[in-house]
Amino acid sequence: MIIINFKNYVHSEKAMKLAEKIEKSLPKAIVAVSAVDIGYLYYYRKLTIFAQHFDIVNNKERATGFLTIDAIKSGGAKGSLLNHSEHQLGMGEINNSVGELKKNGMKSVVCASTLEMVGQLMKLKNKPYAIAFEDSNLIATGKSITKYDREDLESFVKMLNKTGIMPICGAGISSLEDVVVARQLGCKGVLIASAIAAAKRPEQFLNSLEGIKF
C-alpha cells in the first residue's frame, strides 16, 4: 500500500495534474486529498481516494462547516486518514471515527507518532485497518524514519504482528531506498507526502517506485 498525502500543497488543477502523474507510475496508489478535491479527482481519475480527515457529528444534515462521513463517501472516498500529527484527535474520537468508517465499508489509516500511542490504538474497541507510524519530528525533513528511527520502527512492526492491523510507516520517506527498507523491516505500506506533493519534479521519485510491491 502506497499512500500519497497531498496535504494542502496542491488543489484543483494542480492536484489533478499531480494525480495524473501518480496514476501513470503507481495506478494502485491511494491519494489522500483535500476535501475540496475528493469528488473532482474521483470523477476524473482512477486512483483510490482517501479523505485526509472527517468529522463526527450528531446531525449530519445540519452540520454547517463540518466534513461528514456522508460527504466524503458520496464524493468517492474509500477511506480516510485519521489523527495525522497536523490534525490530532483524542482516543475516543479515533474510536468513533474508525467505527463510522467500518459501518460505511471504508478503510481507516490512523497515524501514531509514538509507540505508546500505537499501544493505545491497539486497545480500541474499533481497531483501525492500518496504523501509520510517523515520527512527527521527521515529517517534511527528508530524513526518513527508516534511517533515523529504525529501532522504534522495528518495534512497531513487531507490536502489530498477528493483530490484523496493517503496519505502515511515514515521515521523511523520499527515496526508493526508503520504501525498500520499510518493506524489508516488515511494513506493508508507506505514507508519503512532501517528497511527491511538494516536489517541483515528482516524476523521478514516482518513476523509481514503478513495480514496487508490498
Side-chain angles (χ1 to χ4, degrees), residues 28-100:
K28 294 184 179 181
I30 296 169
V31 291
V33 303
S34 168
V36 300
D37 291 318
I38 292 174
Y40 181 48
L41 293 184
Y42 176 74
Y43 186 80
Y44 288 104
R45 300 259 61 91
K46 296 180 180 179
L47 293 167
T48 300
I49 310 295
F50 271 28
Q52 296 175 352
H53 168 79
F54 74 95
D55 300 304
I56 294 289
V57 291
N58 292 326
N59 190 327
K60 298 175 184 177
E61 295 177 349
R62 298 175 63 183
T64 301
F66 292 91
L67 181 61
T68 68
I69 193 164
D70 288 349
I72 66 170
K73 184 177 182 180
S74 63
K78 302 302 181 184
S80 181
L81 295 182
L82 293 170
N83 197 49
H84 191 277
S85 63
E86 297 158 3
H87 197 145
Q88 297 181 53
L89 304 172
M91 284 294 155
E93 293 176 285
I94 294 171
N95 182 68
N96 292 337
S97 297
V98 171
E100 281 294 299

Side-chain angles (χ1 to χ4, degrees), residues 4-23:
I4 301 168
N5 181 10
F6 283 24
K7 297 194 177 185
N8 278 298
Y9 287 123
V10 291
H11 299 97
S12 302
E13 184 178 355
K14 291 182 178 179
M16 178 64 72
K17 288 181 179 179
L18 178 58
E20 185 176 3
K21 292 176 182 179
I22 293 169
E23 192 172 310

Side-chain angles (χ1 to χ4, degrees), residues 91-169:
M91 284 294 155
E93 293 176 285
I94 294 171
N95 182 68
N96 292 337
S97 297
V98 171
E100 281 294 299
L101 289 166
K102 286 184 176 180
K103 288 178 186 177
N104 284 274
M106 302 168 74
K107 294 178 179 178
S108 57
V109 177
V110 182
C111 299
S113 58
T114 66
L115 294 178
E116 179 182 5
M117 187 178 295
V118 172
Q120 293 174 336
L121 293 173
M122 291 169 61
K123 295 177 182 178
L124 292 178
K125 178 181 179 181
N126 294 310
K127 291 180 172 50
Y129 175 78
I131 296 177
F133 184 56
E134 292 195 300
D135 185 335
S136 56
N137 294 319
L138 298 176
I139 291 176
T141 65
K143 297 179 179 180
S144 175
I145 191 171
T146 60
K147 297 177 183 176
Y148 291 88
D149 204 358
R150 181 165 179 155
E151 186 175 335
D152 279 355
L153 182 55
E154 290 176 326
S155 296
F156 161 67
V157 172
K158 290 179 181 178
M159 288 174 70
L160 293 192
N161 186 35
K162 297 182 180 180
T163 64
I165 303 172
M166 183 181 292
I168 295 172
C169 73

Side-chain angles (χ1 to χ4, degrees), residues 1-5 30 132 134 145-146 167-171 173 178-183 187-192 205 209 212 214:
M1 175 185 286
I2 295 178
I3 305 174
I4 301 168
N5 181 10
I30 296 169
E134 292 195 300
I145 191 171
T146 60
I168 295 172
C169 73
I173 302 292
D178 296 336
V179 177
V180 170
V181 172
R183 184 178 60 181
C187 290
K188 302 301 182 182
V190 290
L191 178 58
I192 307 170
F205 187 17
L209 297 177
I212 193 80
F214 279 94

